Every structure is written in C-alpha cells, then in structure tokens.
Amino acid sequence: MLSLVAPPTLGRAPLPAEGGGAGAVLRTVLTGGPLPRAAIGRTAGLSPAAVSRHTADLSALGLLRELPPEDGPPRAGRPQLPLDIDTRHHLAAGVHIGVPWLTFGLLDLRGRVVAQERIPRRGDAAAVLRTVRAHLPGFVRRRATGRSLLGLGVVTGGWVDPERGTVVEHGPLGWRDVPVREQLLGVTRLPVHVDSHARALARAELLFGAGTGATELVHLFVGNVVDAAIATGGTVLRGRRSRAGDIGHLPVPGSTEPCSCGRTGCLEATVAQDTVARRAHARGLIPAPDFDRLLALAARGDAVALQLFRERLDLVAPAAALLIDVLNPEVLVVSEAGLTTVPALGDHLGQQVLRHTRTAPAPLVTGASFGRDLLAVAACAGVLDSTYQRPMELRTARAG
Ligand SMILES: [Zn+2]
C-alpha cells in the first residue's frame, strides 16, 4: 500500500543564513575570532551599524565579549578591541545513548568538553530514560559550576527523527518509536534536541572540527551502528522522515554476518564493533569478545589487533568511496574507534578510499576531530548548533 504522509520538515530545514545577522556575527567570531568589529563586518557582509547592534545584543546574552586591551603604549584614537566567543556563562548539556554506555557531557560555547561521565547502559528504553532522568540533575549540579545550560542534547545511533524527538529505530538497542524528547522534557525545563549520532557529529565537525569553513561535508560513523550524515550548503540533511544517510545495510560481498534487519552480509553487521570483537576473540587475541580490550591492544601496537582494524577499514572504504562519488564533498570524516585510538591508521583508510573512488581530486579524508571526547561532543552538538544558528532565540527562552 502506498501511503502519503505530509512531510513535517518540508521547508523548515535551517538555512546557513538562519539567525540573520546575529547568527552570522556569532559564527564569524567562532571561526575566525578573536576579531575586531571591522573584520567581522567584512567577513559577514554587514554594515558597521549592523555589527555594532548585533555584537551589543550577543554580548548582553553572554555569548560574545570584548577582550581586554593588550598591554603596551597607549595609541591615539579609540582602540579597536577584538571580540571573542564568551565561554564563561553558558554550557550545553547532553547525553549519548550507546549500546555499552550512556555518556553525559557538558561543553562550552567553543565545543570544549568541560565535563563528561559515563555509566553502563542497562535495560530497555524505559529503564535507560529513567537512568538519564536520575543521573542528569546531579551531574549538572556537580560539574556545571554555576554556569547556565543552553539546552539538553540526546543523541543515539540508528534512525532518529529530530522533528518529533523520537528514536524511530535502533536495531542493536532494540528500540522502536521511543518518544525521547517527551520523556525528558520535564527533567530540565530546557529545550531538548534529539538527533542521530552521525548528524550531530557532522554539525560538530562543521562548527569546531575538520569542516570549519567548509559547507560540503560527509560524516560516516562506524560503531555498533553504521550511518552517514550529509551536509550540503552548510546544512545537515535530514531527508524524508529524517532517514537520510541510512547506509548501514549496504551489502558487503562475501559477508555472511546476520544483521538485525533480518538479512545477512550488511555493512553494519559486518563491521560492528561487537562483530570485530568476536572476530578477535575467535582468533585467540582476547580472552572475551570485549571491544575495549581489542582497542587497548591496538593502542599498544599489537600487530594482529592493528591488522583487524585495517581489515575493518578495508570493509568501510568502498562505502566511503561511494559517498564521495555521489556527493563530492570537501571533507569526509570517518568516526571509527581504531582511527581515534591509532591515528596512523588514517593513512591506510586514505589509500583504501583512493582505490575505490572515481572522484579526482579526492576530498580530505580524515578521522573524527574529537578523540576520546567524541561521544560527549556528539551529545551536546545539537544544542550548540542551535545556538549558533539562532542565537537570538536565547533571549526568547530567557524571557519565557
Ligand atoms: Zn541489515
């Protein structure tokens, strides 16, 4: 049966220019700051009067600040003091829901991790959201040290609908249609931004990482879930029903791994960290199929562990090349734990992608920018992205 559902996001995707002049000023200072007002105006294409107005508004909200003058002999005329992002007042809070862990994070406005804590993920969706509700207030009290929260981000793998705030489907967790935003709204009285892990990290890479200054970026996440996020014109695509980027079920030739979707040989099932850990255990490398132990071996330079991670990247490379050929981005970011732990594996990935892509010159292919902070950054990215896209909504939220 063909069913036509009115697409709720039609025409509502945020444009790079959203947030008007204030958003442009804030993003200009994030990327190039500290900057004097004249340079902000030139970069953002705004008049001196507009820059003055927006910087005054953003300073009043605690988002921008004028840096103190440098020591030196006084100069004639009114000094042009540079403006920078003010990281003293606000924090973004977030939780990343993974298969093994829940990771709680607090980030400042420059995307730096102020605090993170992780606790084991246990039980079904209801139990997990109960744990989040129970843990979050104490975490914020202990670690936010008096700074105010801009919002709460909730991020997980799989198919997530940010518009409705639901996790539509997460195979490895066994979640279907979980109304995450609705369940968490009461905890903080803050806006709750629910998104997929891959899209959240694409936003973070554009704001603070390898994609700073770029508008065309693809982020490929490889964990227990495999999915992609695509940014074009600086906007991260959701696609119809927020399902863009679901590439985890591309077939891998020769693979017989059973997948949560019911088929065998899907990319996600073949390269999932649980599968890689089982492979390492079967080869006698680790005493139990524990992915963290395998990572620790790779970090110490164990040749067999490194070979297993190279094999994982070999399986990922054709999918990465396919994304490059279809989308021709400026930057392709691959988030994969082996690359994060042993950055030298990036050369291997780059070579393998080159073998498969037809696009020349190939884009920058790189591991994720956030190292061991990856999950905390992902958790909070939606909140920070919202602040940088629509900073003046902060005023509305405060007034309300
Ligand atoms: Zn599958």
Side-chain angles (χ1 to χ4, degrees):
M1 191 183 78
L2 178 71
S3 84
L4 289 173
V5 180
T9 59
L10 192 63
R12 293 204 50 199
L15 298 168
E18 197 171 343
V25 166
L26 198 60
R27 293 192 297 275
T28 299
V29 176
L30 174 70
T31 308
L35 284 173
R37 284 174 175 76
I40 295 170
R42 277 196 302 277
T43 308
L46 294 166
S47 71
V51 171
S52 286
R53 192 171 69 247
H54 294 311
T55 55
D57 285 345
L58 293 166
S59 301
L61 289 170
L63 298 171
L64 273 189
R65 68 173 179 144
E66 208 165 59
L67 293 183
E70 284 176 30
D71 289 340
R75 282 181 298 173
R78 191 159 165 248
Q80 266 256 344
L81 294 178
L83 289 149
D84 201 2
I85 300 296
D86 193 341
T87 56
R88 299 169 300 175
H89 307 293
H90 302 292
L91 296 174
V95 56
H96 174 272
I97 299 169
V99 173
W101 303 100
L102 305 180
T103 305
F104 293 79
L106 289 172
L107 262 63
D108 74 11
L109 275 176
R110 280 213 169 268
R112 293 176 298 216
V113 174
V114 171
Q116 58 178 316
E117 293 178 4
R118 67 176 197 176
I119 54 180
R121 195 277 315 173
R122 294 214 175 89
D124 61 7
V128 165
L129 294 177
R130 264 199 310 278
T131 306
V132 171
R133 280 198 297 271
H135 190 77
L136 188 72
F139 169 65
V140 169
R141 236 185 351 264
R142 283 193 303 279
R143 312 296 292 272
T145 58
R147 287 189 267 186
S148 73
L149 296 188
L150 296 163
L152 173 67
V154 184
V155 161
T156 191
W159 179 7
V160 179
D161 182 345
E163 191 79 12
R164 291 192 299 140
T166 57
V167 175
V168 183
E169 189 179 300
H170 188 308
L173 280 177
W175 288 20
R176 285 192 75 93
D177 290 317
V178 178
V180 172
R181 180 189 294 136
E182 187 187 299
Q183 301 265 320
L184 294 178
L185 262 179
V187 194
T188 61
R189 283 186 250 144
L190 292 166
V192 178
H193 299 262
V194 181
D195 210 346
S196 84
H197 185 126
R199 278 195 297 261
L201 281 171
R203 292 182 211 287
E205 292 285 355
L206 285 170
L207 285 170
F208 314 112
T212 305
T215 58
E216 314 302 311
L217 178 138
V218 174
H219 172 247
L220 178 58
F221 177 77
V222 181
N224 266 320
V225 168
V226 172
D227 50 3
I230 298 144
T232 179
T235 298
V236 180
L237 293 181
R238 286 180 184 169
R240 193 164 52 91
R241 302 184 68 208
S242 299
R243 209 170 183 180
D246 184 10
I247 62 151
H249 303 275
L250 286 175
V252 176
S255 169
T256 54
E257 281 295 332
C259 181
S260 61
C261 74
R263 290 181 298 187
T264 58
C266 295
L267 178 63
E268 180 172 291
T270 307
V271 303
Q273 63 187 44
D274 287 354
T275 311
V276 176
R278 257 193 292 115
R279 224 170 268 151
H281 178 55
R283 291 189 199 177
L285 193 58
I286 43 179
D290 177 342
F291 187 77
D292 284 349
R293 286 192 185 204
L294 179 62
L295 260 187
L297 278 181
R300 290 205 296 272
D302 181 280
V304 182
L306 287 171
Q307 182 54 29
L308 272 164
F309 280 105
R310 276 193 289 271
E311 287 172 16
R312 191 187 201 196
L313 295 175
D314 293 348
L315 293 164
V316 166
L322 174 67
L323 288 166
I324 290 171
D325 290 344
V326 172
L327 298 158
N328 197 12
E330 297 162 273
V331 185
L332 177 93
V333 178
V334 179
S335 295
E336 189 274 328
L339 282 176
T340 304
T341 308
V342 186
L345 287 169
D347 293 341
H348 182 77
L349 174 66
Q351 287 157 13
Q352 291 301 308
V353 170
L354 276 183
R355 277 187 53 214
H356 292 280
T357 180
R358 296 174 54 82
T359 303
L364 171 67
V365 176
T366 176
S369 303
F370 309 107
R372 293 181 172 277
D373 294 335
L374 185 83
L375 299 181
V377 171
C380 303
V383 176
L384 292 173
D385 186 60
S386 166
T387 302
Y388 279 100
Q389 297 300 334
R390 297 172 293 278
M392 298 316 290
E393 285 186 10
L394 197 56
R395 169 174 286 174
T396 322
R398 280 183 152 190

